[in-house]
Amino acid sequence: MKVKRNLLWQLPLLIIVTGPLWWSPVGDLLGPRGNFENTGGAKISRQSFTMERVVLTQNRGGHDELVIKADKVNSGIHEDLVHLEGIEARMQGRDGRPSVLRGGEAFYHAGQQIVTVLDNVRLKTPDGREMRTEALRYLTKFRKLKTAEDVWLGSEKIQIEGGNFFYDLDDGDFRVGGRVSVDFF
């Protein structure tokens, strides 16, 4: 009986004492295989660029729906965001006549398909109306323009001032909201 009791405590002692000899080979055997370092595969890094005198075009159904000319284009702010300076955008209406949008700077968010135009924004519609505001968003997917800023809208016979503006490029309909003032000539 003494032999069995001695083996019971000697076996764990033998494992602990000889452990440094076999831990490393067994650990290598049980470890993951392969090289997990990136040695020439695709690197994930964020690149930025600056271009001057750029023309961006959005084409839908074989027609140029939106053409933006910018003096300067920058990226790098956010992966989906492009900054444009000194822009002129031509947006084709349903009848083929363009509305022309001008502004000091703009941001195009590719994921949401929204162009935000800032700094002395001016819109000229095909029927001769002119709109002025400080900020305007163009929802390219829905072909609608809107702003929550104060807006001035005018033509030869009417001037409208309001607190917000909505314009549908396909229908040519517009809404001026907020506190609205209208002058007829």
Side-chain angles (χ1 to χ4, degrees):
M1 284 242 207
K2 283 187 174 186
V3 175
K4 289 182 185 177
R5 234 186 323 184
N6 285 340
L7 274 177
L8 191 62
W9 67 268
Q10 287 177 353
L11 188 58
L13 180 64
L14 182 64
I15 291 173
I16 292 172
V17 171
T18 62
L21 298 173
W22 57 266
W23 281 341
S24 180
V26 170
D28 291 342
L29 179 68
L30 297 174
R33 303 267 183 233
N35 184 2
F36 293 102
E37 294 181 24
N38 188 1
T39 59
K43 284 188 174 182
I44 299 173
S45 66
R46 212 164 126 197
Q47 300 291 326
S48 63
F49 62 85
T50 300
M51 295 186 285
E52 294 182 3
R53 298 171 125 183
V54 177
V55 177
L56 302 169
T57 305
Q58 178 180 348
N59 188 301
R60 189 179 305 181
H63 298 86
D64 288 344
E65 190 174 82
L66 171 66
V67 177
I68 300 175
K69 294 179 182 178
D71 294 336
K72 192 174 188 180
V73 176
N74 301 308
S75 75
I77 300 168
H78 183 270
E79 63 187 33
D80 285 344
L81 201 61
V82 177
H83 178 245
L84 302 100
E85 295 176 15
I87 70 141
E88 177 182 296
R90 293 187 179 276
M91 301 159 289
Q92 295 296 333
R94 183 172 281 182
D95 59 359
R97 298 185 311 166
S99 294
V100 180
L101 178 65
R102 290 185 174 91
E105 67 177 323
F107 294 93
Y108 176 65
H109 193 286
Q112 297 176 350
Q113 297 182 357
I114 296 175
V115 179
T116 304
V117 184
L118 306 167
D119 191 25
N120 196 20
V121 180
R122 296 178 183 270
L123 173 70
K124 183 125 181 162
T125 62
D127 56 359
R129 289 179 281 194
E130 185 179 342
M131 188 273 309
R132 292 184 228 148
T133 188
E134 282 302 310
L136 181 75
R137 285 192 164 189
Y138 174 46
L139 311 170
T140 62
K141 187 187 283 185
F142 304 107
R143 298 187 34 79
K144 299 186 183 340
L145 295 157
K146 67 179 190 174
T147 183
E149 297 286 325
D150 289 340
V151 66
W152 178 90
L153 181 68
S155 66
E156 294 177 5
K157 299 179 183 179
I158 192 170
Q159 284 187 357
I160 304 169
E161 292 182 32
N164 57 53
F165 175 78
F166 178 85
Y167 179 61
D168 188 334
L169 285 167
D170 290 331
D171 299 338
D173 295 336
F174 70 93
R175 270 190 329 250
V176 178
R179 193 172 181 108
V180 178
S181 168
V182 179
D183 292 325
F184 293 100
F185 301 111

